[in-house]
Amino acid sequence: MSRLERDLSELEVLDDEMVRILRAITGAERLKMANDIFKLARCLIMRHIAAEHPDWSQEEVQWERFLTLQEGAVCPLDPSKPAELRP
């Protein structure tokens, strides 16, 4: 079995009822769902950073969250950043 065949065999197939439900979701509902997921991700990132760096201030944690979301990767807080870019 090729890798592609194996990968395709692992896909979940939606039943007709689930397809009907997903198709009924409005654009506004989809945007709200995406926003809710983004807010949850921000919260989880904040908690992770705060747990990893208990000695950091709230502003440092928020700055690190900003960098993480902007750059898409966890980066150490860089105190050498220009003051206008720091909290």
Side-chain angles (χ1 to χ4, degrees), residues 51-70:
E52 290 287 313
H53 305 281
D55 56 318
W56 284 9
S57 70
Q58 184 71 12
E59 290 79 21
E60 289 171 311
V61 172
Q62 289 175 345
W63 175 246
E64 184 67 13
R65 180 194 66 193
F66 167 77
L67 292 177
T68 300
L69 291 172
Q70 180 177 350

Side-chain angles (χ1 to χ4, degrees), residues 23-42:
R23 285 185 176 154
I25 297 173
T26 67
E29 289 170 324
R30 291 175 196 271
L31 286 174
K32 183 185 179 320
M33 289 167 51
N35 186 53
D36 290 346
I37 291 169
F38 180 72
K39 290 192 307 191
L40 174 61
R42 284 180 29 191

Side-chain angles (χ1 to χ4, degrees), residues 3-46:
R3 181 173 178 218
L4 178 59
E5 290 170 327
R6 186 178 66 244
D7 290 346
L8 291 177
S9 71
E10 295 173 7
L11 289 176
E12 181 179 351
V13 178
L14 298 176
D15 63 14
D16 292 339
E17 178 67 11
M18 193 63 191
V19 169
R20 186 188 64 73
I21 290 169
L22 292 173
R23 285 185 176 154
I25 297 173
T26 67
E29 289 170 324
R30 291 175 196 271
L31 286 174
K32 183 185 179 320
M33 289 167 51
N35 186 53
D36 290 346
I37 291 169
F38 180 72
K39 290 192 307 191
L40 174 61
R42 284 180 29 191
C43 179
L44 293 174
I45 290 168
M46 285 281 289

